[in-house]
Amino acid sequence: MEANMNLLHDLGVRTTHWLQQHFQGSQDLFLFISYAADLRNAFFVLFPIWFHFSEAVGIRLIWVAVIGDWLNLVFKWILFGERPYWWVHDTDYYNNTSAPEIQQFPLTCETGPGSPSGHAMGAAGVYYVMVVALLSAAGGKKQSRTFGYWVLWMVLWTGFWAVQVCVCLSRVFIAAHFPHQVIAGVFSGMAVAKTFQHVRCIYHASLHRYTGITLFLFSFTIGFYLLLRVLGVDLLWTLEKAQRWCSHPEWVHIDTTPFASLLRNLGILFGLGLAVNSHMYKKSCQGKQGQQLPFRLGCVTASLLILHIFDAFKPPSHMQLLFYALSFCKSAAVPLATVSLIPYCLSHLMATQDKKAA
């Protein structure tokens, strides 16, 4: 088994080496793709747009992203996946030969296990939700689908797979993942998104249900971590490897650790539960103004602007517990602002202006 994995890892390292040799001039593009595929952009950019034009799609996007990333964390702890940038230095596979030289970049030195790829899994899940939503809006009943619909179907799915290929190549190019890890991530993300097409309870979930699911996900993760610690398995074994083999220590960031992503995602989910069950949301988005296009456009514009400013706040990383707590609160504030606070303020502002005009 180990010999087979070494062969697979060696093939992956040589693929990374080949990409870096032949596409050196495209490194900025690959870095941008890796940055764009981060789930943070799904929360801070895609969610505000989708929610204010189709609430159901916005809610499904959050659930797919959060549950998909939670499953990704569990899979990583079970599979113990290596990452190319440390495996090539840490392995004894190249004892008798020279190891291929691979470069590292500012986005290379992630600290969690590598399999499956979180970027590939997140991008596949999020983009699958968006493609299905667009096709559902354009298609109507199967019997009435026109030639134009099938052209759109081909364009959107071609675009979907083009995005997935770009994300996979980007993660392999920067030596963050092996090819088999990004492929596993893509199909895992699609499976999560496909599953949530048939889960209807998320659209009318109460705050009690959101709270219960958030606590369950947190408790399961902590319990699983402690159980394996008792059994002598160190689930943070990758942090030492990242700190040891990353060529620039400043590229190792605490926000790439497993618990950082866990609390960030749980904050998003809990914040969404607070938001969609709040008085402000019911008075604004579910009122008469919520159906008006100028109001929706205003919500999208204000949300994108305010969340962009908000994203600039970085919790202090020198104290881990404080960092995790502030990350949870910051994430919870994203859907709260997008779904309830901004629409509520905007509806009051528009109502005041209407009264003055009258």
Side-chain angles (χ1 to χ4, degrees), residues 124-174:
V126 167
Y127 279 84
Y128 189 96
V129 168
M130 293 192 295
V131 168
V132 169
L134 290 171
L135 290 175
S136 178
K141 297 181 179 179
K142 288 185 178 181
Q143 296 84 353
S144 62
R145 288 174 180 173
T146 63
F147 175 74
Y149 168 83
W150 294 110
V151 171
L152 179 64
W153 185 94
M154 184 176 65
V155 169
L156 288 178
W157 283 117
T158 300
F160 171 84
W161 284 109
V163 168
Q164 305 317 311
V165 169
C166 287
V167 171
C168 291
L169 289 176
S170 168
R171 303 303 290 167
V172 174
F173 176 89
I174 67 173

Side-chain angles (χ1 to χ4, degrees), residues 184-252:
V186 168
F187 288 102
S188 299
M190 291 175 64
V192 172
K194 182 70 175 177
T195 299
F196 271 91
Q197 281 184 256
H198 309 289
V199 179
R200 314 306 303 176
C201 61
I202 60 174
Y203 306 116
H204 307 287
S206 64
L207 178 58
H208 177 75
R209 174 165 290 184
Y210 272 99
T211 303
I213 292 176
T214 301
L215 289 174
F216 168 76
L217 296 177
F218 180 76
S219 301
F220 182 93
T221 308
I222 297 299
F224 186 51
Y225 172 79
L226 293 176
L227 174 63
L228 292 182
R229 283 295 299 268
V230 170
L231 296 176
V233 179
D234 181 14
L235 291 177
L236 300 182
W237 60 278
T238 57
L239 184 58
E240 183 274 331
K241 289 184 180 291
Q243 293 170 336
R244 180 180 181 186
W245 296 115
C246 186
S247 59
H248 292 73
E250 66 273 15
W251 290 351
V252 179

Side-chain angles (χ1 to χ4, degrees), residues 290-317:
Q291 308 303 316
Q292 299 173 1
L293 181 60
F295 176 76
R296 294 187 178 191
L297 289 174
C299 288
V300 169
T301 303
S303 296
L304 291 176
L305 177 61
I306 291 173
L307 291 183
H308 176 72
I309 298 172
F310 185 59
D311 191 32
F313 167 70
K314 304 298 180 185
S317 59

